[in-house]
Amino acid sequence: MRFALDKEQEDLRSVVREFLTDFSPEPVVRHLMADDRGHDRPMWTKMCGELGLAGLAVPEEYGGAGYTFVELGIVLEELGRALTVTPFLASVVMATMLLLATDDEGAKSDYLPALAEGRRIGTVALAEDGGHWTREGVAMQARPAGAGWVLDGHKSFVLDLMSADLVLVVARVDAEAGAFGVFAVEPGAAGLERQPLPVLDQTRKQGRLTCAATPARLITGGWAAVDRMLDLTAVAVSAEMLGGAQRTLEMAVSYAGVREQFGRPIGSFQAVKHKCATMLMEVEAARAAVYYALWAAATQAPDLPAVASLTKAFCSDAYQLTAGENIQIHGGIGYTWEHPAHLYFKRAKNSALFLGGADHHREQLAQRIGI
């Protein structure tokens, strides 16, 4: 593999960064934080229609551009750098990659073209009140009803639930055998209730889903497809965290160069230098891990499950460290609502807990490599 991006990939990064500079500056981010929908529809239309970002890693046969997870990771890194409030992770990564991981050609043909064009927004409902992203944490039941299926139960921590018009729900189909299924639920289905959840990170919306004999369409694929989606999502979140960590490093270094104490920039003091150097080492190590993980995802490398867990655990710690040190270097102003430092700190904490914390992924890594 190559750890350097080629010209086309660098051009993609430049285009996305320029777009986000224009359409997702800090004032827009703060405005959308107060909106339960979690995104700006005109911006989403431009992202998906004019730039084609939603279909970037979708095969051409389903209406996508046919690029790889590496290109998708570049976009995610820039979205994390700008703290963009968008359903990109839920729809383009989780819902789309879950569908691609199944063997249900009918469902792929029915749903993927609209997701790739941004005409529909999807999400995945897996975790429940316990916050576990494992099969043991799934209690929602699916049962046959006539020619179809119905769902009973609830889901929590569903990303961008209030703006989604396609929800892929993971439920048990046979409690004794431990079998699971993926079910597509339309927003207007009977017995379906959605409500927003209060969250620490207001740039990333979450909701609670309740189903009461709710009609659903079974998508073949089972837990193997869910496992694949979880690994790819872990890599995607890690790419976002890399972008955010890089931005907090830039903010800290810039401030240390202009803020003066005792007649000299604070960046000239050894203690501040050490903080910035530690942040740089964490960011560069995270970059190496993320880029390898993106390559493993793009090539379907056999070590992807282990790499996904390793990368998620390391980037969770790295982002929380850089976000915290950024506040420390800024001093008193870094603790204020008006300064963006706290937004990155909250995103770092949210991303670290999403899909399970660093300890969970280290334990999962140990299991996957046979320790």
Side-chain angles (χ1 to χ4, degrees):
M1 65 162 294
R2 295 182 302 105
F3 278 93
L5 303 180
D6 60 29
K7 184 180 184 305
E8 186 175 4
Q9 291 166 338
E10 289 290 1
D11 288 344
L12 172 63
R13 181 191 299 280
S14 298
V15 168
V16 175
R17 183 171 297 187
E18 182 179 351
F19 174 82
L20 295 178
T21 299
D22 292 338
F23 290 93
S24 185
E26 184 185 339
V28 172
V29 171
R30 289 180 178 270
H31 171 73
L32 292 175
M33 284 166 53
D35 190 335
D36 285 339
R37 293 174 301 173
H39 74 287
D40 177 70
R41 195 71 194 194
M43 182 178 72
W44 177 253
T45 301
K46 288 179 179 293
M47 287 178 64
C48 302
E50 296 182 13
L51 299 185
L53 300 183
L56 201 61
V58 176
E60 294 181 16
E61 62 189 288
Y62 302 118
Y67 285 94
T68 73
F69 212 83
V70 172
E71 286 75 24
L72 193 60
I74 293 170
V75 176
L76 287 158
E77 186 179 346
E78 292 302 312
L79 292 173
R81 185 179 187 275
L83 287 185
T84 305
V85 184
T86 172
F88 196 90
L89 181 64
S91 186
V92 179
V93 179
M94 297 184 74
T96 299
M97 294 303 147
L98 179 54
L99 284 168
L100 286 172
T102 70
D103 54 8
D104 194 323
E105 291 299 324
K108 292 179 184 179
S109 299
D110 289 344
Y111 298 127
L112 284 175
L115 290 174
E117 295 175 9
R119 290 185 286 110
R120 298 194 76 170
I121 295 174
T123 190
V124 174
L126 172 57
E128 299 180 7
D129 286 349
H132 301 296
W133 297 82
T134 60
R135 66 177 70 203
E136 292 78 14
V138 176
M140 177 174 278
Q141 296 288 335
R143 53 187 172 84
W149 293 79
V150 293
L151 302 176
D152 293 290
H154 62 266
K155 297 289 184 179
S156 292
F157 317 112
V158 184
L159 288 191
D160 296 292
L161 176 63
M162 304 309 293
S163 58
D165 44 31
L166 173 65
V167 184
L168 302 180
V169 182
V170 181
R172 292 179 178 268
V173 296
D174 189 332
E176 294 183 1
F180 297 85
V182 176
F183 296 85
V185 178
E186 301 290 340
L192 180 68
E193 182 181 341
R194 300 185 288 180
Q195 61 184 106
L197 289 176
V199 290
L200 171 68
D201 175 18
Q202 295 168 296
T203 67
R204 175 148 285 162
K205 308 299 182 179
Q206 299 182 27
R208 191 173 195 270
L209 176 76
T210 301
C211 295
T214 301
R217 172 181 174 177
L218 175 63
I219 300 175
T220 59
W223 191 262
V226 177
D227 253 346
R228 170 76 177 172
M229 179 274 297
L230 288 173
D231 288 339
L232 293 176
T233 305
V235 175
V237 173
S238 298
E240 277 193 343
M241 289 193 285
L242 171 61
Q246 176 66 49
R247 181 60 187 138
T248 57
L249 171 61
E250 294 168 2
M251 292 166 62
V253 171
S254 175
Y255 187 76
V258 298
R259 178 71 168 95
E260 292 189 358
Q261 280 284 11
F262 309 108
R264 54 193 282 199
I266 63 173
S268 65
F269 295 109
Q270 191 173 40
V272 178
K273 289 180 181 179
H274 285 174
K275 286 183 179 293
C276 292
T278 299
M279 292 171 70
L280 175 62
M281 288 191 296
E282 292 291 318
V283 169
E284 290 307 311
R287 190 184 313 283
V290 167
Y291 283 13
Y292 180 82
L294 292 174
W295 172 84
T299 60
Q300 300 188 24
D303 62 347
L304 173 63
V307 169
S309 293
L310 183 154
T311 304
K312 177 63 166 59
F314 185 86
C315 289
S316 295
D317 289 343
Y319 193 8
Q320 290 183 94
L321 183 146
T322 62
E325 294 288 45
N326 181 43
I327 292 176
Q328 290 290 320
I329 290 173
H330 275 82
I333 194 175
Y335 288 87
T336 64
W337 176 262
E338 290 76 16
H339 197 277
H342 73 96
L343 301 180
Y344 286 89
F345 186 84
K346 292 172 181 176
R347 172 63 73 87
K349 177 61 70 174
N350 176 284
S351 298
L353 295 176
F354 185 62
L355 303 184
D359 289 343
H360 164 76
H361 282 277
R362 290 192 183 97
E363 180 181 353
Q364 191 166 259
L365 171 62
Q367 295 172 352
R368 287 174 167 179
I369 62 178
I371 295 179

